[in-house]
Amino acid sequence: MFSTLLPPDTVVVTADHPRVWEEGLLPAEAALLGPSVALKRRREFTAGRNCARRALVALGLPESPLLSGAQREPLWPSGVVGSITHSGGYCAAAVGRATRYAGIGIDCERHLPVSEGVVRLVCTARERAWLANAPDHDIQWPTLIFSAKESFYKVWFPLTGRWLGFEAATLTIDPARSTFQIELDRPLRAAFGDHATPVAGRYAVTDEYLFTSIVLPAAP
């Protein structure tokens, strides 16, 4: 699905075989987990790293361990930007050249409703006002908002090294085009440097999953 949401010069790899979830970690990657990590976390991490390494090889890089930063974010090789997502039985990684893109963010979520408490946590007042009159497209719009902000964070954090709360970004959705825009609170725009806001993204929905993506062009 992400291959339809991202530019053709990016590479997307999905976990297309059960073994991708079970084996294949390089020793340096396995060391990041430790012996007592929960099975669910181990499976997701394994699938994510396997997809990411396959994507990097398809981009023309040699296979090497993909390590993690202090916040468990993937440390992509120099000259590469990328993103990993997993939800339920789905996992994918996307990468692109940093000469073309300043960041890539992808997120997949189960296409299920969220609680009112999660809506209050994730959605700004403006978003909640839109939800009150949102079109009925058989889409769980609060879940879409959550996913889009997750995709944005995967672009934001590598560029700024800063935490970003859900309330600091507001989504505007265009259901007719299956696109969205994210606007940052004014005090945070400077931290984003030369990258203008609002930031554009795209989404796609199936009965089981909801997919969002953001591709940030490299600054001139």
Side-chain angles (χ1 to χ4, degrees):
M1 183 62 70
F2 283 116
S3 60
T4 67
L5 298 180
L6 297 172
D9 60 349
T10 61
V11 177
V12 180
V13 172
T14 59
D16 53 4
H17 192 280
R19 284 183 298 182
V20 177
W21 297 79
E22 303 290 345
E23 57 190 53
L25 280 183
L26 300 181
E29 296 168 338
L32 298 172
L33 288 173
S36 59
V37 68
L39 178 60
K40 179 177 182 292
R41 166 65 180 154
R42 181 176 293 276
R43 283 175 50 82
E44 291 173 343
F45 184 86
T46 299
R49 284 315 193 262
N50 284 335
C51 288
R53 277 187 278 100
R54 286 168 56 191
L56 290 168
V57 169
L59 198 64
L61 278 72
E63 185 174 46
S64 61
L66 183 61
L67 304 181
S68 298
Q71 302 300 318
R72 301 200 308 184
E73 74 278 12
L75 296 178
W76 300 100
S78 176
V80 174
V81 294
S83 183
I84 300 172
T85 185
H86 38 67
S87 179
Y90 182 92
C91 179
V95 297
R97 295 284 184 182
T99 52
R100 291 275 296 150
Y101 305 108
I104 294 175
I106 63 171
D107 187 72
C108 171
E109 302 292 335
R110 295 291 301 276
H111 192 197
L112 298 171
V114 296
S115 69
E116 187 58 35
V118 172
V119 173
R120 290 194 298 270
L121 174 68
V122 170
C123 299
T124 64
R126 198 170 87 194
E127 290 164 344
R128 293 195 297 273
W130 183 84
L131 288 172
N133 297 289
D136 183 9
H137 287 184
D138 293 325
I139 294 176
Q140 298 295 332
W141 296 113
T143 309
L144 172 65
I145 292 172
F146 172 82
S147 180
K149 292 186 179 184
E150 287 289 300
S151 283
F152 179 70
Y153 186 73
K154 294 174 184 180
V155 172
W156 161 270
F157 185 80
L159 289 171
T160 67
R162 296 176 56 173
W163 176 255
L164 186 72
F166 288 113
E167 75 287 349
T170 297
L171 206 72
T172 301
I173 302 171
D174 184 346
R177 298 183 179 183
S178 297
T179 61
F180 58 87
Q181 292 187 326
I182 290 185
E183 182 74 30
L184 286 171
D185 282 354
R186 187 178 299 274
L188 292 171
R189 293 176 194 170
F192 216 36
D194 295 331
H195 307 291
T197 62
V199 174
R202 302 175 66 192
Y203 69 86
V205 179
T206 68
D207 289 341
E208 189 172 5
Y209 293 106
L210 189 152
F211 306 86
T212 60
S213 70
I214 290 174
V215 178
L216 192 66

